[in-house]
Amino acid sequence: MFTVADQIAQILKDCGVEVMFSQSLPSRLILACEDIGIRQVVYRTENAGGAAADGYARTANKIGVVCAQNGPAATLLVPPLAEAFKASTPVIALVQEVERSNTDRNAFQELDHPALFSSCTKWCATVRERSRVEDYLRQAVIRATSGRPGPVALMLPADLLLEEAVAPSPWQSPTLGRFPLDRPVASPQDIETAATLLAQAEHPVVIAGGGVHGSGAIAELAALQETASLPVGTTTMGKGAADERHPLSIGTVGNAMGAYSIGQFTKPMIQRADVVLLIGTRTNQNGTDSWSLLPPGAKVIHLDIDGVEVGRNYASLRLVGDAKPTLAALTAALSVAGLGKRTDQRPALEQEIAGHWQARDAAVEGRINSTATPIRPERIMRDVAAAVGDRPVCYVADASYASVWITTYLAARHPGARFLTPRGIAGLGWGLPMAIGAQLARPDDPVVCVVGDGGFGHVWSEVETLMREKLPIILIVLNNGTLGFQRDAEMVKFARHTDAVHFGQVDHSKVAEAVGCKGLRVSDPARLEPEIRSCLQSGEPALIDVVTDRDAYPPLAAFEPLLEERRAAQKG
């Protein structure tokens, strides 16, 4: 008998779903998916499963699917769905619901799932009639991938999955599961106005956010930068959207523009800007250094697929549309508006930017080449970059300091380089699961994941997942025995910190070895690059536990200079 479960599985396959993140339930649906070749990747916790679906979707530019049981399992999907909601990632959560005849009778693990998911999804619903299954699945896919992408949750009663169904209609296609589903273009009149502003500006600057990756607008951003001779910076989420070796790249911008960052030197270029083009960014707190980055007198042009975000924090010329076609139209309009001024200013601009990079390199040289032990994170990033070289790679980091270390000290060596960081709501523990999703999406490219020991402690169990799935991820644990960001933020705010920021000693290489994964513990900086290089060449999963300087912190502008002053006072 062709059941509703079979029907859902077929719809998912027709929408291009090849991988699902699951753990047994809804069992009938998972069996149906397995029967038609949809790969089941079994997570150890729902929190990690949702994050893996997020990492997969961001990297593959297609929907990520995660399944869960009703009740307690469903509640553990809330954090990763909230991250996907804020980060604009299309994830579909398929959650088993109690049998329909038992609704509102205190059935085992019954919960009000729509209420649970209402704050962290674009849409959530319960399918109760077999005649509506196709409608609801279609809505779920379309809502997840259209407009500003995001997560949806669909509740599936266990008894409904067993009912006989009809074969799906032929509306499904693999393109339906990809995003963006539609590509609206901003108003031609507004594009022309924006082109005129950029062409005539004295000091224009472009800031690209994660929406450039989501739109797949990498080539269009590169064409705009090159054709119009515009300096381009990226937010943390946008890291990799522009080639940082391009002579007009000003690096990562936002809250990490303190000492020893490229932002320390390029920040004045933003603060003198008279026209700022924002692309695919929510203008959130971290991306704007608490909304202090843009100069008050600058004219802001804001391009985003979500009209609600355009002008949310800055009065802007509104370009509401998909980044890919709108940037292409803007570049064409700039050619018509005239690029003489931009072309004339380019040699001096390139020279200025090159000077900033040279100044950054000189400032940080002692740290990236440090031979001190415990090892400085800047040195770790240097050795990661040296081991990886120019090969295509996907870098992934956990939240907190790990995200800032990779986006500050690992360069985007080509347009479209991927740096996955959970910056939607920045929860700890999502680095490794997102790396699992990314590796499944890009099986031929190396994935290097950098996590702190605090974040990694949330998901030790998922090392077994990457071993079972034979995913050759290189996991680098920055082991300093502390929640570094929390400790330092408390010092800045209160001139002291709580005792709830330190851990006991853990050799994480033994955690890896316990599940059959190669585990290394490195305390000598001279060993680090050769070990990373060897692990990459092996094509096998590996965990490198790096004994890291506890006092090191990345260049967060908000911590300067108070953190050093208060540390000194505490020691004195």
Side-chain angles (χ1 to χ4, degrees):
M1 181 175 69
F2 188 81
T3 67
V4 167
D6 297 315
Q7 182 183 20
I8 294 171
Q10 189 61 55
I11 291 171
L12 291 173
K13 186 171 184 178
D14 289 346
C15 289
V17 174
E18 300 172 317
V19 175
M20 290 168 54
F21 300 89
S22 57
Q23 194 186 76
S24 180
L25 293 165
S27 300
R28 186 61 188 87
L29 173 60
I30 292 172
L31 287 168
C33 289
E34 289 180 347
D35 288 343
I36 59 173
I38 297 177
R39 180 178 179 179
Q40 301 300 309
V41 177
V42 179
Y43 53 73
R44 298 300 295 261
T45 69
E46 288 76 12
N47 188 3
D54 183 332
Y56 178 87
R58 293 193 202 189
T59 312
N61 269 73
K62 57 195 296 188
I63 54 175
V65 180
V66 61
C67 298
Q69 184 179 354
N70 49 294
T75 67
L76 294 175
L77 284 181
V78 169
L81 291 180
E83 168 67 24
F85 185 70
K86 284 290 190 177
S88 307
T89 309
V91 172
I92 296 180
L94 301 175
V95 178
Q96 180 166 287
E97 184 56 278
V98 300
E99 294 182 354
R100 288 165 291 176
S101 61
N102 292 337
T103 301
D104 295 330
R105 299 184 68 186
N106 289 328
F108 180 63
Q109 296 186 331
E110 182 181 13
L111 193 65
D112 185 349
H113 294 113
L116 177 73
F117 293 124
S118 63
S119 67
C120 60
T121 60
K122 289 179 68 177
W123 179 70
C124 58
T126 303
V127 187
R128 298 198 176 277
E129 299 290 338
R130 64 178 179 176
S131 62
R132 299 297 309 284
V133 168
E134 187 173 319
D135 297 342
Y136 275 97
L137 261 291
R138 180 170 62 249
Q139 285 188 63
V141 174
I142 291 173
R143 288 174 186 263
T145 57
S146 62
R148 176 177 171 178
V152 300
L154 209 55
M155 275 56 75
L156 306 171
D159 60 316
L160 176 68
L161 296 173
L162 303 177
E163 288 190 2
E164 186 173 4
V166 295
S169 300
W171 62 265
Q172 296 85 13
S173 72
T175 58
L176 194 64
R178 294 192 171 274
F179 70 98
L181 181 59
D182 307 305
R183 292 194 178 275
V185 184
S187 156
Q189 182 178 351
D190 292 334
I191 290 173
E192 183 179 339
T193 302
T196 301
L197 286 172
L198 289 166
Q200 296 177 355
E202 293 298 325
H203 301 292
V205 69
V206 178
I207 297 176
V212 176
H213 286 295
S215 171
I218 304 302
E220 288 72 20
L221 176 62
L224 175 70
Q225 181 181 33
E226 183 60 31
T227 302
S229 302
L230 293 170
V232 175
T234 66
T235 65
T236 297
M237 290 285 286
K239 173 85 172 185
D243 182 353
E244 289 183 334
R245 296 190 294 186
H246 190 283
L248 291 172
S249 171
I250 62 173
T252 308
V253 307
N255 64 334
M257 300 179 79
Y260 306 102
S261 73
I262 181 60
Q264 175 186 7
F265 303 97
T266 59
K267 188 174 184 177
M269 295 183 65
I270 299 174
Q271 295 182 325
R272 77 184 184 203
D274 55 340
V275 176
V276 179
L277 171 61
L278 303 173
I279 309 169
T281 171
R282 295 177 292 141
T283 61
N284 63 354
Q285 185 170 13
N286 287 348
T288 60
D289 197 12
S290 296
W291 307 284
S292 68
L293 184 59
L294 304 192
K299 295 178 180 178
V300 178
I301 305 164
H302 194 168
L303 164 58
D304 201 276
I305 190 68
D306 186 353
V308 174
E309 294 297 341
V310 175
R312 177 193 283 268
N313 292 308
Y314 298 97
S316 306
L317 171 62
R318 297 171 59 84
L319 298 182
V320 179
D322 180 70
K324 188 177 181 73
T326 302
L327 284 178
L330 179 59
T331 301
L334 273 161
S335 298
V336 174
L339 293 171
K341 192 171 187 177
R342 301 276 66 80
T343 303
D344 291 345
Q345 289 183 353
R346 180 165 181 160
L349 189 60
E350 288 188 357
Q351 185 176 7
E352 178 185 4
I353 293 171
H356 292 325
W357 282 103
Q358 291 166 6
R360 193 291 302 256
D361 291 346
V364 80
E365 181 179 7
R367 295 187 172 208
I368 65 171
N369 295 321
S370 171
T371 58
T373 56
I375 305 173
R376 286 203 63 91
E378 298 94 335
R379 169 61 188 264
I380 298 169
M381 298 303 107
R382 186 205 80 168
D383 288 356
V384 168
V388 169
D390 285 331
R391 75 185 81 184
V393 63
C394 181
Y395 289 115
V396 186
D398 217 320
S400 198
Y401 278 174
S403 292
V404 187
W405 290 125
I406 74 161
T407 54
T408 302
Y409 295 112
L410 292 175
R413 299 189 180 198
H414 61 86
R418 291 315 308 261
F419 291 76
L420 299 191
T421 55
R423 304 311 298 177
I425 57 171
L428 285 177
W430 290 330
L432 173 56
M434 288 181 70
I436 289 172
Q439 187 71 85
L440 288 160
R442 289 174 52 169
D444 297 328
D445 294 336
V447 173
V448 177
C449 180
V450 178
V451 299
D453 51 352
F456 182 51
H458 288 251
V459 288
W460 287 354
S461 57
E462 300 301 334
V463 178
E464 186 276 329
T465 303
L466 70 88
M467 282 302 298
R468 174 175 15 92
E469 297 294 333
K470 298 180 174 59
L471 303 175
I473 295 166
I474 308 303
L475 180 64
I476 298 174
V477 182
L478 307 181
N479 188 347
N480 62 5
T482 188
L483 288 169
F485 176 85
Q486 187 61 34
R487 174 201 62 195
D488 294 341
E490 290 174 6
M491 283 293 293
V492 169
K493 292 179 181 178
F494 309 115
R496 61 192 183 117
H497 63 75
T498 65
D499 292 333
V501 294
H502 295 312
F503 310 122
Q505 288 295 315
V506 178
D507 183 347
H508 298 95
S509 68
K510 302 301 182 186
V511 175
E513 290 174 354
V515 295
C517 179
K518 181 177 182 179
L520 302 167
R521 186 172 173 87
V522 175
S523 57
D524 177 2
R527 285 186 54 211
L528 190 55
E529 182 187 337
E531 295 289 13
I532 298 171
R533 193 181 299 274
S534 175
C535 290
L536 284 167
Q537 291 171 347
S538 75
E540 300 289 334
L543 183 153
I544 305 175
D545 188 47
V546 185
V547 181
T548 308
D549 185 351
R550 175 177 287 199
D551 292 330
Y553 63 95
L556 295 178
F559 287 0
E560 299 174 354
L562 270 179
L563 181 56
E564 288 298 334
E565 293 174 1
R566 290 183 171 176
R567 281 183 173 182
Q570 188 180 57
K571 291 177 180 178

